[in-house]
Amino acid sequence: MQLSQVQTPHRLELPPSGLADAVVGYASLAGETIAANGNPEALSDLDVETLMLNLDASLRVYQREHFFSWTQGLLQSLIKHEVIVCALRSGEPPTLRADSFSMIAAEQAIFGELFLRDTSAALGLIKVWEDRGFRPLICDATDNSFCRGLFAQELGRVSATQILAHGTHDAQGQARGFYAFICAPGTLGPRHAYLARLVTPFLHAAWVRTEVNGRAKGNDPARRDEARRITTREEEILRWVALGKSNFEIGAILGISPLTVKNHVQKILRKLNVVNRAQAVGKAVELRMLNN
């Protein structure tokens, strides 16, 4: 199995001007499917406490496995989601890089890859968000013309079709960071749109830090060795961990005891230098250990 140190981000070349051609038929998105902005009164005391815990946690995110652990852990208590797609726009002419994080698929990158491959989804969501004055938008992948391609099909396959999208922009009014929470139908409302406005700047800063640190460590031979130390059996167990299986379930699948599985998991944590299963999966994704 061939390994690489850092996952190569997917890129989409953006047209130098005029995104209108890419968003034909999006008028319906600006109607009833867009949630209101929300307001502070929509938040309970528990919401405020949870928000502060998440903002504090985001400040400690420096590696991709940290980002995975945060977004698929504590951040779920704020905005419950099945997948989060992160996109970064940069360069001249501008290009879009994207990645995705999820506990429902072993192939983490599939959602980010399809987001960019399905240009009507990527360009369309960003265009509508910009036209709305950079306010959060909520829509359903099954209702709108921009979500009829491969991206929407994959969301339908995992039964997560509701989208909450928000981002960051520069002084020229151009999107820089763009984030889509992919949720089960009926999950989202105005309260979540307001929470997205509050958390997105921290989400953006955390993901950019992981991108910078990932590039800085990209040539470190020790990172290749981390993955090479994982045995075939441990890799097999790690794949089942990524799919959310418990020690008991993994033991039943592989015909070994739950205690043996637990011992393997502890070895995996030590070898990958992480503290829990979520971080182990995040690091395995970063090292592309689960791609084959």
Side-chain angles (χ1 to χ4, degrees), residues 117-128:
R117 189 183 301 172
D118 186 352
T119 55
S120 62
L123 300 183
L125 282 171
I126 293 174
K127 173 62 176 175
V128 174

Side-chain angles (χ1 to χ4, degrees), residues 269-285:
L269 298 184
R270 288 195 298 271
K271 289 178 179 180
L272 294 182
N273 193 28
V274 295
V275 298
N276 57 44
R277 295 160 76 101
Q279 287 188 7
V281 173
K283 194 156 193 178
V285 170

Side-chain angles (χ1 to χ4, degrees), residues 82-93:
E82 308 302 320
V83 182
I84 184 169
V85 175
C86 305
L88 188 65
R89 191 180 189 182
S90 61
E92 290 297 338

Side-chain angles (χ1 to χ4, degrees), residues 146-217:
F146 73 91
C147 284
R148 293 176 180 169
L150 296 174
F151 183 62
Q153 291 175 19
E154 184 65 18
L155 298 188
R157 189 185 69 80
V158 298
S159 301
T161 57
Q162 200 173 22
I163 301 172
L164 167 57
H166 192 42
T168 62
H169 62 86
D170 60 20
Q172 284 69 49
Q174 296 293 313
R176 285 302 172 221
F178 192 74
Y179 303 89
F181 294 92
I182 314 298
C183 310
T187 300
L188 301 170
R191 166 179 160 273
H192 299 98
Y194 181 66
L195 287 169
R197 296 179 70 191
L198 297 175
V199 78
T200 294
F202 292 83
L203 184 69
H204 177 70
W207 190 52
V208 168
R209 282 198 302 273
T210 69
E211 289 285 287
V212 171
N213 289 331
R215 288 194 296 272
K217 294 185 176 182

